[in-house]
Amino acid sequence: MRTVLHTIRVGPVEPSFLRGLLLALFFLSGALLGHLYAGAWDEAAQTELSRYLTDYCAVYDAGGVAAPLLSCVLIYFGYGVLLFLLGFSSAGAVLIPALSGLYGFLTMHTVSCFARCYGRDGVLLAMGVLLLRLLFTLPCFLALAGEAWPLSIELLLLSFGRGRRSAPVLYGSRYFLLFMLCAVVLSIGVCCERLFAPALFRLAMGALE
């Protein structure tokens, strides 16, 4: 038995894995808060929300319209551009995890709002709104956050004189290439959002009838 235990050795955990795990935990924590916040609304706010979502569904049920291009660009590129820029700032050491939590909060808050108004069927409606968007934005968010966060931490340590022998933080081509790749993916996502999102939402509505 001892021989087996000596043979099986747990290797060192990759820092990138730990950072990814922490960012995922921040995302899930934000999602939990978003769900709890949606459930804490009073009756008047709930009535207004129900009226808004009913009107929202009616627009798409009548044929729907593609989301404005500028709105789509902001929704798809907003997080990615912020993460890329925060990689050049020591403030990103705190703001990047906070941004991950905010992303989770807003995503789950939307799902919970639909669920509170339409019950379990509301989850399907929310997926009609969010699924396509999350397929493109969430992987890019996690990839960019995973690269930008350690750079921000190094800048923060450097500002306190605790960096790697106070050496300057180097931004390799990998960081810029990743951002360019994400920009291409998100651009495709914007096109898909405008072309297919209204049809997906109407399909979700049709499945509930």
mmCIF file of all heavy atoms in Angstrom, residues 20 39 59 77 97 132 147 167:
data_model
loop_
_atom_site.group_PDB
_atom_site.id
_atom_site.type_symbol
_atom_site.label_atom_id
_atom_site.label_comp_id
_atom_site.label_asym_id
_atom_site.label_seq_id
_atom_site.Cartn_x
_atom_site.Cartn_y
_atom_site.Cartn_z
ATOM 1 N N GLY A 20 -8.558 30.248 -13.258
ATOM 2 C CA GLY A 20 -9.813 29.947 -13.939
ATOM 3 C C GLY A 20 -10.887 29.494 -12.970
ATOM 4 O O GLY A 20 -12.063 29.868 -13.097
ATOM 5 N N GLY A 39 -35.565 37.564 -6.708
ATOM 6 C CA GLY A 39 -36.612 37.052 -5.825
ATOM 7 C C GLY A 39 -37.001 38.009 -4.723
ATOM 8 O O GLY A 39 -38.018 37.803 -4.052
ATOM 9 N N VAL A 59 -43.641 41.806 -28.955
ATOM 10 C CA VAL A 59 -42.896 42.335 -30.101
ATOM 11 C C VAL A 59 -42.336 41.198 -30.945
ATOM 12 O O VAL A 59 -42.459 41.186 -32.176
ATOM 13 C CB VAL A 59 -41.766 43.267 -29.627
ATOM 14 C CG1 VAL A 59 -40.845 43.628 -30.786
ATOM 15 C CG2 VAL A 59 -42.345 44.527 -29.012
ATOM 16 N N PHE A 77 -19.031 43.133 -27.223
ATOM 17 C CA PHE A 77 -17.633 43.559 -27.081
ATOM 18 C C PHE A 77 -17.341 44.267 -25.759
ATOM 19 O O PHE A 77 -16.173 44.457 -25.421
ATOM 20 C CB PHE A 77 -17.245 44.487 -28.242
ATOM 21 C CG PHE A 77 -16.932 43.773 -29.516
ATOM 22 C CD1 PHE A 77 -17.944 43.416 -30.390
ATOM 23 C CD2 PHE A 77 -15.619 43.447 -29.849
ATOM 24 C CE1 PHE A 77 -17.668 42.753 -31.566
ATOM 25 C CE2 PHE A 77 -15.331 42.789 -31.028
ATOM 26 C CZ PHE A 77 -16.354 42.431 -31.890
ATOM 27 N N PRO A 97 -12.061 40.183 -11.252
ATOM 28 C CA PRO A 97 -12.978 39.289 -10.534
ATOM 29 C C PRO A 97 -14.354 39.920 -10.318
ATOM 30 O O PRO A 97 -15.378 39.233 -10.402
ATOM 31 C CB PRO A 97 -12.266 39.051 -9.199
ATOM 32 C CG PRO A 97 -10.846 39.332 -9.460
ATOM 33 C CD PRO A 97 -10.831 40.422 -10.486
ATOM 34 N N LEU A 132 -27.602 32.007 -27.423
ATOM 35 C CA LEU A 132 -26.709 32.329 -28.531
ATOM 36 C C LEU A 132 -25.622 33.295 -28.091
ATOM 37 O O LEU A 132 -24.439 33.140 -28.423
ATOM 38 C CB LEU A 132 -27.517 32.930 -29.681
ATOM 39 C CG LEU A 132 -26.764 33.210 -30.988
ATOM 40 C CD1 LEU A 132 -26.223 31.910 -31.572
ATOM 41 C CD2 LEU A 132 -27.679 33.897 -31.985
ATOM 42 N N GLU A 147 -6.123 35.633 -19.049
ATOM 43 C CA GLU A 147 -4.856 36.216 -19.472
ATOM 44 C C GLU A 147 -4.609 37.586 -18.842
ATOM 45 O O GLU A 147 -3.477 37.936 -18.510
ATOM 46 C CB GLU A 147 -4.826 36.348 -20.998
ATOM 47 C CG GLU A 147 -4.747 35.025 -21.735
ATOM 48 C CD GLU A 147 -3.422 34.322 -21.507
ATOM 49 O OE1 GLU A 147 -2.380 35.009 -21.402
ATOM 50 O OE2 GLU A 147 -3.419 33.074 -21.427
ATOM 51 N N ALA A 167 10.981 43.702 -12.086
ATOM 52 C CA ALA A 167 11.129 43.739 -13.542
ATOM 53 C C ALA A 167 9.839 44.249 -14.168
ATOM 54 O O ALA A 167 8.759 44.083 -13.608
ATOM 55 C CB ALA A 167 11.452 42.331 -14.067
#
